Amino acid sequence: MATEEESAVKEPLDLIRLSLDERIYVKLRSDRELRGKLHAYDQHLNMILGDVEEIVTTVEIDDETYEEIVRTTRRTIPFLFVRGDGVILVSPPLRTT
Amino acid sequence: MLFFSYFKDLVGREVTVELKNDLAIRGTLHSVDQYLNIKLENTRVVDQDKYPHMVIQCVDYNSVFSFCKLSVRNCFIRGSVVRYVQLPPEGVDIELLHDATRREARGG
């Protein structure tokens, strides 16, 4: 019936549907990550997230010591549209944070 | 079509478009199309000192304040160069978004 069709998980996008209105973790290109509440998405993985935290990771190399300094920059955005072509993966939030 | 409809409902609201080259542009949403190309009015660059691309002239009034004439007031942004669009939180009913997403995901 109609309700069975709705909840059937047939393809990867259906897995994302299970996370609607839940918090998710999104890995983006350019070493960026987002954590936020999924409000909308489409087949391109364009998304609208609420209460988002963005983490940007940069690696600096010291001129003298050549050591790698890994930095993370965080910011929060209340309501954000994310264009799908930047998305690498979508997942429930990782337990470690 | 979901996000096209969503952005059409947002016309007239203030948004901040962040591009893939890290430039952030704040402005009033004038229009959008099916490719999510965006037209903004009354644009200003967020954090002007860092991204002086759009400033053509700055006049310093005795260091009391400085006024920068922007070369761009209205702009057309190709959808593919957008990374994020920061939206007004009171934009649209969230439940409506959830329902529309479920319908779209099923049809797609």
Side-chain angles (χ1 to χ4, degrees):
Chain A
M1 310 295 221
T3 43
E4 273 178 36
E5 279 296 323
E6 265 180 46
S7 52
V9 178
K10 290 205 182 88
E11 46 176 47
L13 285 180
D14 296 330
L15 273 178
I16 302 182
R17 180 161 34 89
L18 299 178
S19 296
L20 252 188
D21 206 29
E22 302 283 341
R23 289 199 74 81
I24 54 164
Y25 165 82
V26 184
K27 190 188 210 310
L28 299 173
R29 301 184 67 171
S30 308
D31 300 311
R32 286 164 194 262
E33 299 159 288
L34 298 174
R35 271 170 227 279
K37 198 175 215 199
L38 180 64
H39 290 306
Y41 71 95
D42 66 7
Q43 70 272 33
H44 304 294
L45 259 40
N46 293 326
M47 289 185 267
I48 290 184
L49 300 175
D51 292 321
V52 189
E53 188 195 21
E54 182 204 34
I55 304 167
V56 185
T57 304
T58 50
V59 182
E60 286 173 27
I61 299 183
D62 191 292
D63 288 335
E64 294 141 38
T65 64
Y66 293 105
E67 71 173 296
E68 290 180 358
I69 311 162
V70 181
R71 278 190 224 284
T72 60
T73 315
R74 286 161 202 259
R75 64 173 166 155
T76 52
I77 303 153
F79 211 58
L80 188 71
F81 166 81
V82 183
R83 194 176 162 87
D85 57 11
V87 175
I88 295 174
L89 68 85
V90 178
S91 145
L94 307 166
R95 288 280 181 190
T96 48
T97 47
Chain B
M1 292 298 287
L2 205 190
F3 291 102
F4 177 35
S5 307
Y6 173 76
F7 279 116
K8 275 196 290 189
D9 289 340
L10 274 189
V11 165
R13 306 295 301 273
E14 280 273 296
V15 296
T16 301
V17 181
E18 189 176 319
L19 306 183
K20 293 195 163 91
N21 67 355
D22 289 342
L23 186 61
I25 305 171
R26 187 156 182 81
T28 312
L29 185 64
H30 173 271
S31 55
V32 70
D33 67 12
Q34 52 171 319
Y35 305 108
L36 305 185
N37 295 326
I38 290 168
K39 268 196 187 174
L40 290 180
E41 293 193 318
N42 302 317
T43 58
R44 49 228 176 269
V45 176
V46 174
D47 204 355
Q48 242 173 43
D49 305 313
K50 207 169 161 204
Y51 301 113
H53 302 74
M54 283 150 76
V55 180
I56 55 168
Q57 180 197 19
C58 276
V59 181
D60 199 5
Y61 289 95
N62 300 321
S63 305
V64 175
F65 67 95
S66 66
F67 170 69
C68 284
K69 204 159 135 187
L70 295 182
S71 60
V72 178
R73 277 264 88 178
N74 309 322
C75 64
F76 173 92
I77 301 171
R78 194 185 205 274
S80 61
V81 309
V82 171
R83 181 189 288 138
Y84 305 132
V85 180
Q86 294 176 33
L87 308 160
E90 342 69 44
V92 139
D93 186 357
I94 286 178
E95 279 310 311
L96 237 58
L97 267 181
H98 292 171
D99 292 339
T101 301
R102 287 189 198 102
R103 282 197 299 270
E104 177 105 352
R106 195 154 32 99

